[in-house]
Amino acid sequence: MKTWVYFLLCENDTLYTGTAIDPLRRFNAHCAGRGARFTKMRKPIRLLGAFVFESRGEALSNEYRFKRLPVPEKRRLAALAAEDPAWLAYLMEHETG
């Protein structure tokens, strides 16, 4: 099943990286205080973008790899995710549907 690795901008200009089948729904859960301890302590401000992977395992290994990057590299990756064609198509689909 396709799974996304997503990037959130949180309070204090921090980044959060996670995985989800539906990143918009997961973002709403984070905003409601459900989910990761990190986002309970640092409120999410914006869903920056995401990359889609063909399987949950592939997404989880990439999430792990992304989380180990230095902060400037994570920010660069989040900016790339925001412009990813698959991400933009996902947003368009959820905006109209």
Side-chain angles (χ1 to χ4, degrees):
M1 173 178 292
K2 289 188 180 189
T3 305
W4 298 82
V5 175
Y6 62 91
F7 300 90
L8 300 179
L9 177 63
C10 298
E11 289 180 338
N12 300 334
D13 202 35
T14 55
L15 287 180
Y16 175 79
T17 306
T19 59
I21 293 170
D22 186 342
L24 287 174
R25 184 168 23 158
R26 185 70 174 142
F27 173 68
N28 290 329
H30 284 298
C31 290
R34 295 185 311 275
R37 186 179 329 155
F38 185 94
T39 59
K40 287 179 185 176
M41 295 170 50
R42 298 165 196 86
K43 300 291 182 207
I45 297 169
R46 190 170 77 228
L47 180 55
L48 297 174
F51 294 110
V52 68
F53 295 93
E54 290 300 316
S55 70
R56 183 173 185 267
E58 189 180 357
L60 289 170
S61 17
N62 278 288
E63 175 193 15
Y64 176 77
R65 188 169 55 92
F66 296 164
K67 284 182 173 183
R68 296 177 54 88
L69 294 171
V71 172
E73 186 62 21
K74 283 184 204 176
R75 291 188 182 284
R76 187 186 72 75
L77 198 58
L80 289 173
E83 298 299 322
D84 184 67
W87 173 244
L88 297 173
Y90 169 85
L91 289 176
M92 291 299 290
E93 176 183 309
H94 285 79
E95 185 176 283
T96 59

